[in-house]
Amino acid sequence: MEIEKFTIDNFLGGKLQIKQPARGYRIGIDTVLLASAAKPKADAKVLDLGCGVGGISLCLLTNHLNISVVGMDLDRDLIKIAKENNLTSGFGKRFKPLTGSVLDPHKSLVPNTFDLIITNPPYLESNSSNPSPEKRKNSANVETEVDLGTWLNFSAKFLKPGGHISLIHRADRLDHILTLMRTSFGGLSVYPLWPKTGLPAKRVIVSAIKGSASPTKILPGAIIHNADGSYTAPVQAALTGEKLLADLLH
C-alpha cells in the first residue's frame, strides 16, 4: 500500500527528527518511554522487533551511544522510511533496518545472538476489537498474523542466554503477558504507567531475562500527567531525553 503523505516530527527535545506516514499508526509517547526505560549494556546488540519507521531504535541510539540496533518489520515501505531516518540521524552502521517478520525473519538473523530485544507488539487480540480502516494502523495495533505467545517465543529464540527483553503493553493484559513470559523468561519486572494520580494504569512496561529463575517484581512506576494535564517531571525528562526512566527502574 503506497504511502502518499508524510510528516517529520521532533522527538527527545528536538534531538531526533523522524519521518513517518501522516495517516495510520504514528509514534507516540509509548515508543519514547519504552526506549527510555531500557538500559542496554555497553556494546549491546539490540533487536527492535516490529520497528516500523525506527522510532524505538532511533530513540535508543540517541540515548545510548555505544550500542547497535537491528530493526525488523514486515512492511517494506516502513523499512524504507526507517533507512531514510537513519541517514538523516547519522547513526550509520549502528542501525540496520531489515524487512522480515516473526513468521519469516530476515535471513541474517541468528538465534541466541541478541543482548536485548525491545518491542511494542500489537496490543489487541485478533477477536477483541473492530479493525481500523487504515491497514497499517490495524497491523500495528491488532494481532492479525501472530499472537503474543508467538511473538515472545520468537524473542526467546533470538536472545542470548541471560539476554533481556523489554516491552510495553496494555495493563489489562498483564496477567496474560506474565503467564506467556514465564515459559522462557524469569526475573520479570513490571513498571506501571498511570495516566494520572488515583487512576488505574493503562500501560505497563515489562522486562525479563531469558532463562532466569529470579522472582517477579512490581516496580514503583510513573504517573504520566499532572492534574492540569501537563506531563509529570520524570515523564517530561524522559520525553525530552534529559533523563532516562531506566534510572528509576534500576
Side-chain angles (χ1 to χ4, degrees):
M1 184 175 62
E2 185 177 355
I3 304 173
E4 297 181 351
K5 295 182 179 180
F6 303 90
T7 63
I8 297 177
D9 302 288
N10 290 325
F11 294 91
L12 297 180
K15 299 182 186 73
L16 271 178
Q17 288 77 45
I18 299 180
K19 179 181 178 180
Q20 59 180 329
R23 298 179 61 184
Y25 179 81
R26 289 173 54 78
I27 299 169
I29 67 168
D30 287 4
T31 294
V32 183
L33 293 182
L34 176 59
S36 184
K39 201 165 188 177
K41 64 182 183 181
D43 300 318
K45 184 178 180 182
V46 181
L47 174 62
D48 177 3
L49 185 55
C51 68
V53 300
I56 294 174
S57 299
L58 296 168
C59 287
L60 266 180
L61 289 162
T62 302
N63 290 336
H64 304 279
L65 303 181
N66 52 4
I67 65 170
S68 62
V69 181
V70 174
M72 189 175 72
D73 200 280
L74 56 78
D75 191 319
R76 293 180 181 275
D77 292 332
L78 296 184
I79 288 296
K80 181 180 178 181
I81 300 170
K83 292 177 179 179
E84 293 179 29
N85 284 327
N86 187 40
L87 285 173
T88 303
S89 302
F91 291 118
K93 294 181 179 179
R94 291 179 59 209
F95 182 34
K96 191 174 184 180
L98 302 172
T99 302
S101 71
V102 169
L103 297 178
D104 185 22
H106 192 275
K107 61 183 179 180
S108 68
L109 266 62
V110 179
N112 301 304
T113 55
F114 288 97
D115 300 291
L116 169 66
I117 291 181
I118 191 163
T119 183
N120 183 357
Y123 286 158
L124 301 170
E125 293 178 284
S126 59
N127 61 354
S128 65
S129 68
N130 295 321
S132 169
E134 293 285 344
K135 182 178 178 181
R136 284 193 172 89
K137 188 172 184 179
N138 194 53
S139 178
N141 290 336
V142 184
E143 296 171 359
T144 52
E145 295 195 10
V146 296
D147 59 18
L148 183 58
T150 305
W151 201 276
L152 292 171
N153 288 339
F154 177 94
S155 299
K157 178 180 178 181
F158 284 89
L159 275 174
K160 292 178 180 178
H164 289 69
I165 184 172
S166 186
L167 62 88
I168 190 166
H169 217 291
R170 289 167 56 112
D172 59 8
R173 293 193 68 187
L174 179 59
D175 185 56
H176 185 214
I177 294 164
L178 297 181
T179 299
L180 292 172
M181 294 187 81
R182 287 190 181 106
T183 62
S184 300
F185 301 97
L188 280 72
S189 296
V190 180
Y191 189 79
L193 297 172
W194 293 285
K196 288 184 177 181
T197 300
L199 294 179
K202 288 189 175 182
R203 297 284 186 267
V204 286
I205 295 172
V206 183
S207 302
I209 304 167
K210 179 179 174 179
S212 173
S214 298
T216 299
K217 296 185 294 185
I218 306 294
L219 299 172
I223 298 168
I224 304 295
H225 295 286
N226 295 308
D228 63 2
S230 62
Y231 290 120
T232 59
V235 170
Q236 180 67 19
L239 294 178
T240 57
E242 297 172 13
K243 293 183 180 179
L244 297 179
L245 280 184
D247 294 332
L248 303 177
L249 274 68
H250 299 273

